[in-house]
Structure formats: structure tokens, C-alpha cells
Amino acid sequence: MRRSTGLVMVVGVAVLAWGEWVNWRWSRVLVGEREGGSVAVVVLGYRNPRSTVNLINRWRVRAGIRSVVDREAGETRVVFSGGAAAGHGATEAQLMADYAKSVLGFDGRVVLEDRSATTWENVTNVIPELEDVDRIKVVSQPAHALKARAYLRRQRPDLAEKLVRANDYRAGEWLAVKPLLALYGLWSLRGLTADERKVSPRTGRSV
């Protein structure tokens, strides 16, 4: 009995460690170490059919706001991206922006992109806000953020050169569900090419 209990614990720890590692790795793909003062933090919305911001979007907003570094805050724009869910008038972008301002007290520059219904459209529609900045941070769960970075690389490789890490991965955060996020991420990233998945040990970006 004790042996089987110990085996279950070992397997459980291994699963949690695997989920943590996979998400950590995804957060370091297709990002570089570019310098520069002006930053666009792009927060991707998650389907939100109700009139109040949902749990996932609240977390994404918090991750987006913590991705704004104090020394660069004056030159940072936070772009909330997401259209209206079917059957509801409020857009994901507006709900996230309202949460950032009213609950988190964020008083920095906010831009709304409120037409997108897919990740590809998220990327397409925020491009005008990325043209004139030095660095770009994409905020979501690690697999989703990686997909968006890959899409930017496909649509505008010149802008993808500006991608740097956001603060959307933290060790131990969402620990219990990270294995599930990892499994879903493996499925959702199946369309990425090999060079969109590989991390360079030197730069932390895809090679």
C-alpha cells in the first residue's frame, strides 16, 4: 500500500514538473533580447459571453499589467485585443480594459482592438499599434502567446524581430492546471513548424 501511494506521489510530481517545464519553455520561444524604450504590451482576450470579465481574462490582464516595467511605463501602450462574443454586445477588449482601470488601478495608455474573433485576427488587427515601438510583448497563457508570436512572424517578420518576453509565465502559478494547459497547448500548436518551436540556448529565441 505504501509503495503504491509513493508511486502515485512520484507520478503526480513528475506530471506537475512536466507541465511547469513545457509552459516555461513555450514562454521563451520566438523572443529575443531587443533593447529600446517604447513597448507595446498586447493582451489577448479569451471568449467572454457575459457582461463581466471572466477568470481567464482577469488573469491575462494582471499578467499584462505586470509586464509593464516601471522604468518604461511612460512609453508603454497596453493593447487589449478581442471582439464581442456571440450574442453579447460587450467586447473582450473593453471588458479587460475596464478591469485594468477600475480594479487594478492602471492609469497608463490603453488601446482597444475590438474586432478580432480569432488569434490570427488578433495579430492582424494589432499590427498598426506595433509599427512604431521598439519592443513587443504578447500576453496570454504560454502556448497561446507562442501561437500569436508565430503568427506575427508569418505576417510581419520585421515586427517579429521586436518580440521580447512578457511576464505571463511565473513558476508555480496555476501549478495544478499547468499539465492540462500543456496538453491543450500541444494540440493547439500542432500547426507550428519546427523552427517556430525551437529555442536557442544563447538568445532564448527561435532559430
Side-chain angles (χ1 to χ4, degrees):
M1 182 67 177
R2 282 182 295 179
R3 180 178 297 178
S4 61
T5 300
L7 179 60
V8 170
M9 291 180 63
V10 169
V11 171
V13 170
V15 169
L16 291 175
W18 172 78
E20 191 74 50
W21 177 79
V22 171
N23 282 277
W24 172 85
R25 185 180 185 279
W26 284 334
S27 73
R28 285 159 171 76
V29 177
L30 295 183
V31 293
E33 300 174 351
R34 187 182 178 98
E35 299 294 329
S38 58
V39 184
V41 178
V42 180
V43 183
L44 305 176
Y46 179 78
R47 49 184 177 271
N48 205 128
R50 298 184 180 179
S51 58
T52 55
V53 64
N54 63 34
L55 174 65
I56 293 177
N57 282 331
R58 291 199 300 271
W59 178 84
R60 291 184 184 182
V61 173
R62 292 196 300 273
I65 300 307
R66 74 191 187 201
S67 296
V68 178
V69 180
D70 288 342
R71 63 180 173 80
E72 66 190 24
E75 299 181 80
T76 299
R77 70 193 64 164
V78 179
V79 184
F80 293 109
S81 178
H88 195 283
T91 65
E92 296 164 6
Q94 186 64 62
L95 290 172
M96 291 191 294
D98 290 345
Y99 180 77
K101 294 176 180 179
S102 63
V103 177
L104 302 183
F106 182 68
D107 60 358
R109 181 180 176 188
V110 168
V111 177
L112 301 184
E113 184 291 294
D114 57 6
R115 295 173 295 149
S116 301
T118 66
T119 305
W120 184 268
E121 291 178 0
N122 287 137
V123 173
T124 301
N125 293 333
V126 301
I127 282 177
E129 296 298 329
L130 310 180
E131 299 277 7
D132 62 342
V133 298
D134 298 313
R135 293 184 290 159
I136 302 166
K137 301 179 182 181
V138 178
V139 175
S140 186
Q141 277 69 26
H144 188 218
L146 170 55
K147 178 186 282 189
R149 293 194 297 269
Y151 285 173
L152 181 62
R153 189 172 183 245
R154 295 177 186 181
Q155 295 184 32
R156 288 289 302 273
D158 58 320
L159 295 181
E161 291 295 319
K162 302 178 180 183
L163 286 165
V164 297
R165 283 189 59 208
N167 194 4
D168 53 359
Y169 168 85
R170 282 187 174 178
E173 188 175 47
W174 292 69
L175 178 63
V177 298
K178 273 180 179 170
L180 296 176
L181 292 174
L183 289 173
Y184 179 75
L186 290 172
W187 177 82
S188 66
L189 297 174
R190 66 195 185 282
L192 268 59
T193 62
D195 69 326
E196 290 172 332
R197 296 170 178 265
K198 187 176 180 181
V199 179
S200 164
R202 184 177 65 85
T203 63
R205 61 187 297 178
S206 172
V207 295

